[in-house]
Amino acid sequence: MTLRERIRFLSLNPGKRATERFYLLYTAVWGTLTAALMLSDAAVAWGDVPLMAWGVGLWLPVLVVPLLRRAPEDREKPFHRLYGFKMHACLLLMAAGGSYITFYFYEVLHMHYGFRTQWNLNNVPLFLYVLTVAYFATYSVLLFAGYRFLTSLLPERTPRPVRALMAVPVSLAVALLETLTHATPLMRHIFCYDDVPFMLRFGTPMYASWFVVWLALWF
């Protein structure tokens, strides 16, 4: 098999590939809508109810669409055996756990939110718990695609431990991408770090280590 034939980004499994393709396409939807909200006055003016409705509205497609738009090979499977359902369970667990365990971001990286919400859980607005599922759906595909691409560039007989190390640069890239797209002057009124350079050089590798663990669990 030639290098060109080995290179791939999406899964070879039809069910996984259909879900990953949807996550990528949906990125344009939730990304555009969220950017419009965060850059407007509504992000600060809205209260708990509209923000929660917003978060749930952007979260539900991550759960529902993969169940409805199945690959032909998956049409007879019960819903709990579908990759999209199982992947969503992992994403929900990661989003909820990651949103709740935030002392590191507050106490070490000095992260701040500017939302005027009362529905908060461990200092994090409740709507972000569900909205983050959409974020991590995108991150999961970027991690998968990057990992598959890098490992496909390696010789076919490369030992498995060496292949596993490819998760490190991919995770660093995704963690850096999140920081660069969120901690911007345009969004400082709603989300910021006291020291962005410190976040980039220290926080990004720490965040990436979390992605390395989840990448292994997702696979």
Side-chain angles (χ1 to χ4, degrees):
M1 184 182 294
T2 66
L3 176 61
R4 184 174 182 180
E5 292 172 329
R6 293 203 312 268
I7 290 177
R8 62 189 177 94
F9 296 93
L10 298 182
S11 175
L12 296 177
N13 179 284
K16 291 183 179 181
R17 186 169 60 251
T19 299
E20 290 176 1
R21 184 179 291 116
F22 166 69
Y23 286 171
L24 282 179
L25 293 174
Y26 187 54
T27 299
V29 177
W30 74 256
T32 301
L33 293 176
T34 300
L37 173 67
M38 298 304 178
L39 296 177
S40 68
D41 294 334
V44 177
W46 282 3
D48 291 293
V49 173
L51 284 175
M52 194 66 192
W54 180 274
V56 171
L58 293 183
W59 157 59
L60 283 178
V62 180
L63 169 63
V64 175
V65 174
L67 300 182
L68 299 180
R69 297 183 59 85
R70 307 184 182 191
E73 293 83 353
D74 287 348
R75 286 176 182 167
E76 302 303 320
K77 286 185 178 180
F79 76 92
H80 63 275
R81 292 189 58 196
L82 294 174
Y83 173 78
F85 178 80
K86 292 186 286 186
M87 187 61 187
H88 173 268
C90 287
L91 293 171
L92 190 61
L93 178 63
M94 182 184 185
S99 297
Y100 184 80
I101 305 173
T102 54
F103 59 88
Y104 163 75
F105 287 94
Y106 284 115
E107 297 180 11
V108 178
L109 302 177
H110 297 169
M111 181 182 74
H112 304 279
Y113 285 121
F115 301 106
R116 296 179 180 177
T117 56
Q118 300 297 320
W119 298 354
N120 302 318
L121 184 59
N122 204 24
N123 297 318
V124 177
L126 199 59
F127 83 95
L128 290 178
Y129 280 77
V130 290
L131 179 59
T132 303
V133 176
Y135 280 76
F136 285 145
T138 297
Y139 298 164
S140 68
V141 181
L142 294 179
L143 289 166
F144 288 153
Y147 182 78
R148 293 187 185 112
F149 173 71
L150 290 183
T151 54
S152 68
L153 298 179
L154 299 174
E156 293 186 37
R157 295 185 178 181
T158 301
R160 182 174 293 182
V162 177
R163 290 180 176 274
L165 288 176
M166 296 300 101
V168 175
V170 172
S171 298
L172 282 169
V174 174
L176 179 62
L177 177 66
E178 186 193 66
T179 301
L180 293 177
T181 54
H182 286 68
T184 67
L186 293 176
M187 289 179 56
R188 190 169 180 79
H189 66 294
I190 207 70
F191 175 86
C192 68
Y193 295 98
D194 285 347
D195 189 342
V196 175
F198 177 68
M199 171 59 194
L200 291 173
R201 68 175 182 269
F202 178 78
T204 296
M206 296 301 100
Y207 194 22
S209 67
W210 198 44
F211 282 146
V212 170
V213 173
W214 276 98
L215 182 57
L217 295 175
W218 281 334
F219 266 120

